[in-house]
Amino acid sequence: MAYFVPKHLLSFALSVSVLLLLPVAFSVGPEEAEPISYHGGPLISGMLKVGIVWYGPIPRSQRKAILSFFRSLNTVTPTADNIPQVATWWNMVESYQAYAKPGAAGSSRITVKVVNEAFVPDYDYGKVLIRDFIKGLIPTATAGIPDTLAVIVASKGVTVQDMCAGSCAQHGLIDNQTYVAVGDPEDECPECAWPFVASSEKEGEVMLPPSGDAGADAMVKLLAGGLAGAVTNPLGDGFYTTARGNHFFEATSMCPDVFASVEIPVDPVSGGAYNVVGDKGTKFLLPAIWDPKTSSCWTPL
């Protein structure tokens, strides 16, 4: 994992040794915020190594969906109906590099590779993952591999700090180590699982998940948002905006509950809704992203 750092901030990059928590979504709406802007800090670029902790008894179907998502970020599998690729969605995340470096010719590719998986099936830290417990899981995720993004994926029944209390997923920095943490929101926070789960907080129809597992596809959606935030705002001084002083919006939380600008396709066999395809034709419904070029929300479809 490399960091693109503006020249005047080179001495600052990776010298931060504080606990930084960046929720991915807030109850105050992005319509109250100014457009996302660049605040001068580093972005992740180059090779992005990922280490995963599966916390709790994560079903195989959920692990399969999440690992397929990671593989799909750098995989192009053309389809007869020209449905956009997961890699197309990832290209939008990569594009932020060009807007952090005025005059740049374009964006560098960010190659994602899962380098470690660890299993903690017995809830070693209990069923409420506060920041101190996330800190304890980070070395298990990275296995000591340098420059690795720690990803903590918690099973159903586990509350990740702030889930349903202002955020659906989180990323941040603990003792100079970047991380992303998500949980299965089906029961704990149905508004975070929408549109695969009905929620009194959301409007619009409930859709069938493309994998057949609502928890799996909800976690992929949340993980996509956390990963985009970790890349475009890893240290809290990259791309973001605020509303009412302390409400924080990043690449995907600026565009909540948006998946397409046209009718969302439905798989003719499973009935699952999707907006991108990935590795081996796997279908996903990924969130919209703020486009730094047009200063508006972008969707693959």
Side-chain angles (χ1 to χ4, degrees):
M1 176 170 62
Y3 285 83
F4 163 71
V5 189
K7 191 172 182 180
H8 69 285
L9 287 172
L10 195 57
S11 63
F12 170 77
L14 298 181
S15 67
V16 178
S17 185
V18 297
L19 188 150
L20 175 67
L21 176 69
L22 299 171
V24 175
F26 279 97
S27 56
V28 171
E31 66 277 359
E32 300 182 39
E34 294 294 320
I36 286 177
S37 60
Y38 178 52
H39 295 263
L43 278 60
I44 289 176
S45 62
M47 171 66 76
L48 174 55
K49 293 178 286 187
V50 172
I52 304 174
V53 165
W54 305 105
Y55 188 82
I58 307 284
R60 182 178 180 275
S61 60
Q62 296 185 352
R63 299 198 308 271
K64 181 180 178 182
I66 289 169
L67 290 172
S68 179
F69 167 69
F70 277 119
R71 288 194 302 271
S72 299
L73 292 170
N74 301 122
T75 301
V76 176
T77 308
T79 62
D81 49 7
N82 295 316
I83 293 295
Q85 306 282 308
V86 175
T88 307
W89 182 90
W90 188 238
N91 290 160
M92 180 57 68
V93 177
E94 294 171 324
S95 75
Y96 275 67
Q97 298 171 72
Y99 298 94
K101 187 178 182 181
S107 304
S108 300
R109 186 182 183 193
I110 303 173
T111 303
V112 182
K113 183 178 182 181
V114 175
V115 296
N116 184 58
E117 293 182 68
F119 295 84
V120 183
D122 297 325
Y123 307 111
D124 291 13
Y125 289 93
K127 292 189 176 183
V128 178
L129 288 182
I130 62 174
R131 279 177 281 182
D132 285 347
F133 299 158
I134 291 173
K135 178 179 178 179
L137 288 168
I138 286 175
T140 304
T142 64
I145 302 170
D147 300 322
T148 297
L149 174 69
V151 174
I152 292 88
V153 180
S155 68
K156 183 183 289 189
V158 176
T159 300
V160 178
Q161 178 163 330
D162 292 334
M163 185 165 71
C164 228
S167 70
C168 288
Q170 62 176 249
H171 76 89
L173 187 74
I174 298 178
D175 291 345
N176 224 24
Q177 171 64 57
T178 50
Y179 76 93
V180 175
V182 299
D184 183 338
E186 283 182 275
D187 298 332
E188 189 76 21
C189 190
E191 55 262 43
C192 292
W194 188 87
F196 307 121
V197 174
S199 169
S200 61
E201 303 294 323
K202 301 291 184 180
E203 298 181 358
E205 66 177 300
V206 175
M207 303 177 186
L208 292 177
S211 74
D213 184 320
D217 287 297
M219 285 196 286
V220 166
K221 181 191 73 165
L222 303 184
L223 180 59
L227 188 63
V231 168
T232 61
N233 190 31
L235 305 186
D237 55 1
F239 284 92
Y240 68 89
T241 188
T242 59
R244 296 191 196 173
N246 62 347
H247 293 281
F248 201 84
F249 299 97
E250 298 178 308
T252 62
S253 56
M254 192 67 174
C255 306
D257 305 333
V258 178
F259 301 98
S261 58
V262 297
E263 185 176 355
I264 296 175
V266 173
D267 185 275
V269 177
S270 69
Y274 65 98
N275 59 4
V276 289
V277 296
D279 181 53
K280 298 179 181 177
T282 305
K283 296 177 173 66
F284 300 94
L285 189 66
L286 298 184
I289 304 180
W290 182 261
D291 183 344
K293 180 178 180 179
T294 64
S295 292
S296 62
C297 294
W298 172 90
T299 60
L301 284 174

